[in-house]
Amino acid sequence: MSAHCQLTGAKPGFGNQVSHSHRRTSRRFDPNIQRKRYWLPSEGRNVRLTLSAKAIKTIDAIGIEAAVARIRARGVNV
């Protein structure tokens, strides 16, 4: 599963792991990605979205219809 959020566009960040001796190795900061299914009343079907935890809270606030409109405005198929 790709670590990209369909609503917010969150994707992994990259940086360094710094040890006690200050040696640096590459590491990756992944967003908290979840697969979630929502009922879309306007289309009479379920949609399965790959969302970050922050995006799930956003959908709770603005509603699934507005969220799907934002996702489609970004050019992502739903």
Side-chain angles (χ1 to χ4, degrees):
M1 172 169 57
S2 166
H4 286 56
C5 175
Q6 289 180 306
L7 180 60
T8 62
K11 57 188 178 186
F14 296 89
N16 289 315
Q17 181 92 30
V18 181
S19 71
H20 177 70
S21 64
H22 220 60
R23 292 179 66 115
R24 293 180 173 143
T25 55
S26 289
R27 66 159 295 178
R28 178 175 153 144
F29 296 91
D30 284 328
N32 185 3
I33 297 293
Q34 312 289 323
R35 297 257 311 158
K36 194 140 167 65
R37 195 174 76 163
Y38 288 98
W39 174 251
L40 196 56
S42 65
E43 297 180 17
R45 67 183 184 103
N46 286 313
V47 291
R48 184 165 298 219
L49 301 173
T50 305
L51 301 167
S52 63
K54 181 181 177 183
I56 292 172
K57 293 175 189 175
T58 302
I59 290 176
D60 290 343
I62 66 172
I64 186 62
E65 297 289 346
V68 167
R70 283 189 194 180
I71 291 170
R72 287 182 174 148
R74 292 183 71 238
V76 178
N77 277 343
V78 176

